[in-house]
Amino acid sequence: MSAKHAVLTGEHFMNGDVAAAEGGLAAGCTFFGGYPITPATEVAERMSERLPEVDGIYIQMEDEIASMCAILGAAWGGAKSMTSTSGPGFSLMMENLGLGFMTETPCVLVNVQRGGPSTGLPTLVGQQDIMQARWGSHGDYEVIALAPNSPQECFDLTIEAFNLSEQYRMPVLVMTDEVIGHMTEKVVIPPPEQIRLTPRRYTRRPPAEYVPFATGQDLVPEMIKFGEGYRVHITGLTHDERGYPVINATEQAKLVRRLVDKVRRNAERILRVEEDGTDGAEVVIVCYGITSRVAQMALELARRKRKRVGLMRLVTVWPFPEARIRELARQVRGFVVPEINLGQIVYEVERCAAGQARTLLVPHAGGDVHPPEAILRAIEEVLS
Amino acid sequence: MSPSRTDSATRNASPTAPPAAERTALRHPKDLLLREDRLPHIWCPTCGIGTCVASFIEAIAETGIPEEKFAVISGIGCTGRVAGYVKLDSFHTTHGRAIPYATGLHLAHPEMKVVVFSGDGDLVAIGGNHLIHAARRNLDITIICVNNFIYGMTGGQLAPTTPHTARTTTSPKGNWEYPFNVPHLVASCGATYVARWTSLHVRRMRQAMREAILKRGFSLVEIIAPCSTLYARKNRLGTGYDLMKFYHDNCEVRHGADTKELDIEFQQKIAVGKFVDVEKPTFLDRIGAGRKK
Amino acid sequence: MRFWRTPLDRDKFECPHGQVFIIVERCKGCAFCVEYCPRGVLEISEKFNKKGYHYPVAVREGACVDCNLCEVICPEFAIYTECRNECAEDEAAEEASAQPEGGEGTS
């Protein structure tokens, strides 16, 4: 594969979906299993055109379940793999996303969120899958979910998602939305040498010494590629270090705790937030994705009115910046949480604020972004 | 042939040789491809799945392809446990999803021989959509479908292959649905190799598996296997051995038969044989051709 | 080996002899090997293994022709055969009539 072809260095005018696809290619993705769904289809379309140019494989699977499975299979075949979907497709992928967490398979899932539930608003925006991203598959696990707010970030964060998935050996979610996905903006793609990539953490041990799920301090096991003589057994059942199914409470505790701890213990390293004027602020807007761009305007309106308002944008929605919210809760009068749903991340903020600061949701049922005035009103309400 | 049972060798056997059953520290030749630390396996006495695995291991050896180039992908269910017993790169996936998983692995790593080893419920019911699409695409993968007419792992429920009138725990008065004719299903979707045998036909099964593995294209071997604990018990068919005897008496070898005529009726004749063996460019062949345009 | 009608090419005919190995603790007593052995080598033992199944015993091991059927049909990977001697030795043995052939198979 030629890196030159994979990375379209230069300045481009492209939408968020296309930028996410280019981000995947720049990160070395060579396998995309997808299924068309508005508003994520452009990711698949771009991949179907571009992957053959880098000797990669695009396959349009029979449904989203198959797409998710195929990228897991491709990952064990040695490829960096990704898929993209939206709303109903995201729901269909949930079971096998769980298989990805359980089998510690690196891959990337781009969810271009639309309004739900069910078929909902295929062509209009929503941010209603944020809790599904966290809790959608059954059982206990931790996720990493990134929320870009521009086509440029769709590119950057898809690369970051690949790096995190290799670093922690797990599926990583890019939770974009319809507006970002269909918004066309300038995207700058750097030269390949300026793109930092995390290689797959392949073992150097010979097959006889390799224990598939044995880990060191960082709780992440070393990986292998199928066909190299390691003869591993990978299962979605609770398994021991050898990968063999063991159905008892002891092994369950050992495995699930490790899967959760590998993210929790590294949360501070994974976390990314952007803050604007949060020091000394009386109100902090907590937002993510497209809503952060509306919130930016509300912030300016409020500042014009000489309100001391700050903004915190969650670049990683999961893990959630609990410690930082707790810290801010002691300093501010309240948090304003605009999101295009009827309350999801607001509960996380409320939990971390723990009664020390007021938390006000600015809800939106979906289909459009908030008017900045709605956020401004919430700020004023907190200050009144 | 009716060989005498008191031939020379019998007479020659040493009276001092230890009885076969008491020889210790034995290593089964198939243990080379088995995770022997996991044996004995979970399958019931007289279950046919173990026999299918034994034939599969022989078929692998016969292909001459290095063992490390094989991957076995299973779904969920009794047959889904095969992946956990073979000492090959193996993946035990979610229910019904072995084929899309195999699709990803095969396309990302085409040098691998990807074999999906799963049951009828897993492949034809919940995974039915993936089965027909994999056949349609003519992916170069091999499917071994062990068909015991029932959901074993969950306790004997109705499967899409349960013959009409057969009883299961969820068809207590007898099944009134039409079952799938698996060879016809995949053949009509474009499979390039389709065979059916029973777990009694160990050598034919091995030969079919070998041919299927070596086939360039989508291949499926359906193996009818006894489930004594559930299917035989619910239908008062005796033991697994009685089912083997039934296969012995009621299987008709009909190579090249029209797959339309391969329906299995409850306790009626079972047509076995190799039904489809054709050449056709695979998914990857066509991708290659498509890219040259 | 005796034949009910001696083949014309008997001198070129090589009939292997097998030795039967049984991994008793793997057996679940299905008796497929006993039923399908074309030479009637096996019988179900009176004894139980640790799991409580009656395992097979090779009561006429000398009759085994190493056809391998028991090994393939066994769902438990609990029985196998190994080739012990070829026709020539067999005939020599037949003539000598009392040479022991077992004992080396405890590997």
Side-chain angles (χ1 to χ4, degrees), chain A residues 56 62 96 227 232 234-235, chain B residues 67 89-90 92 94 130 137 291:
Chain A
E62 49 274 16
N96 291 289
V232 291
I234 310 298
T235 175
Chain B
E67 289 150 6
D89 282 326
S90 56
H92 181 219
T94 43
H130 310 307
R137 294 187 180 109
R291 279 180 186 174

Side-chain angles (χ1 to χ4, degrees), chain B residues 163-244:
Chain B
H164 185 224
T165 73
R167 286 167 197 257
T168 69
T169 57
T170 49
S171 61
K173 309 265 189 221
N175 172 30
W176 56 75
E177 293 186 14
Y178 297 102
F180 262 126
N181 166 348
V182 179
H184 186 50
L185 176 69
V186 292
S188 63
C189 296
T192 55
Y193 183 96
V194 184
R196 176 199 276 161
W197 295 102
T198 77
S199 66
L200 175 74
H201 299 89
V202 282
R203 301 197 199 280
R204 311 275 198 142
M205 167 164 59
R206 177 184 69 203
Q207 185 188 349
M209 286 174 175
R210 183 192 66 221
E211 288 175 359
I213 290 166
L214 293 173
K215 186 81 199 172
R216 253 183 83 77
F218 183 90
S219 51
L220 180 137
V221 183
E222 181 190 22
I223 299 153
I224 311 293
C227 170
S228 62
T229 309
L230 295 159
Y231 184 72
R233 184 166 58 88
K234 293 302 285 181
N235 291 290
R236 300 180 190 279
L237 301 175
T239 63
Y241 172 64
D242 291 316
L243 284 179
M244 292 285 262

Side-chain angles (χ1 to χ4, degrees), chain A residues 246-319:
Chain A
V246 184
I247 312 300
N248 64 40
T250 317
E251 284 300 328
Q252 168 76 0
K254 225 167 114 185
L255 175 64
V256 177
R257 275 186 189 283
R258 181 173 68 72
L259 293 181
V260 166
D261 284 347
K262 77 176 175 185
V263 178
R264 285 191 187 165
R265 286 195 200 162
N266 292 303
E268 290 303 315
R269 232 168 294 173
I270 299 165
L271 267 174
R272 264 179 69 187
V273 294
E274 273 181 14
E275 296 188 25
D276 178 355
T278 46
D279 289 332
E282 284 187 288
V283 178
V284 168
I285 309 170
V286 180
C287 53
Y288 53 91
I290 184 60
T291 311
S292 66
R293 293 175 72 147
V294 183
Q296 190 66 39
M297 184 154 183
L299 181 76
E300 281 159 27
L301 291 175
R303 281 177 180 168
R304 262 181 241 160
K305 291 190 174 187
R306 304 194 179 280
K307 314 273 186 207
R308 281 157 58 203
V309 182
L311 185 143
M312 176 193 253
R313 177 165 81 91
L314 311 177
V315 180
T316 55
V317 180
W318 307 111

Side-chain angles (χ1 to χ4, degrees), chain B residues 70-150:
Chain B
F70 279 90
V72 173
I73 321 293
S74 291
I76 296 295
C78 292
T79 319
R81 293 299 185 104
V82 169
Y85 294 117
V86 290
K87 202 174 185 171
L88 298 165
D89 282 326
S90 56
F91 205 111
H92 181 219
T93 66
T94 43
H95 195 18
R97 315 304 168 200
I99 292 178
Y101 185 93
T103 304
L105 178 61
H106 162 62
L107 295 178
H109 198 351
E111 308 93 82
M112 295 288 291
K113 279 282 169 193
V114 181
V115 180
V116 174
F117 211 128
S118 217
D120 50 311
D122 188 72
L123 287 170
V124 186
I126 185 166
N129 197 27
H130 310 307
L131 180 72
I132 58 175
H133 283 277
R136 171 181 67 81
R137 294 187 180 109
N138 196 23
L139 291 161
D140 184 13
I141 59 175
T142 299
I143 315 286
I144 295 170
C145 175
V146 180
N147 180 0
N148 54 13
F149 305 129
I150 206 158

Side-chain angles (χ1 to χ4, degrees), chain A residues 62-80:
Chain A
E62 49 274 16
D63 56 29
E64 286 90 346
I65 302 173
S67 305
M68 188 67 218
C69 291
I71 68 166
L72 295 178
W76 284 94
K80 284 190 173 183

Side-chain angles (χ1 to χ4, degrees), chain A residues 198-247:
Chain A
T198 306
R200 185 152 297 175
R201 299 173 66 171
Y202 283 126
T203 188
R204 289 200 193 93
R205 292 168 200 275
E209 292 168 25
Y210 174 69
V211 184
F213 293 95
T215 62
Q217 286 292 311
D218 70 348
L219 306 180
V220 185
E222 291 175 327
M223 203 165 164
I224 54 100
K225 178 183 171 183
F226 271 26
E228 312 267 276
Y230 285 90
R231 303 196 188 187
V232 291
H233 178 55
I234 310 298
T235 175
L237 286 167
T238 297
H239 47 270
D240 60 15
E241 288 188 341
R242 296 170 300 168
Y244 290 2
V246 184
I247 312 300

Side-chain angles (χ1 to χ4, degrees), chain C residues 26-78:
Chain C
R26 284 189 188 173
C27 179
K28 292 181 190 158
C30 70
F32 287 177
C33 55
V34 178
E35 297 295 339
Y36 290 106
C37 174
R39 304 275 292 162
V41 170
L42 301 158
E43 268 179 20
I44 283 288
S45 95
E46 294 283 312
K47 291 190 210 157
F48 298 106
N49 65 10
K50 280 183 195 147
K51 290 197 296 280
Y53 293 110
H54 290 288
Y55 52 87
V57 283
V59 289
R60 276 180 292 272
E61 194 173 12
C64 176
V65 291
D66 193 32
C67 75
N68 213 28
L69 185 64
C70 57
E71 181 182 327
V72 194
I73 209 157
C74 173
E76 308 294 333
F77 316 103

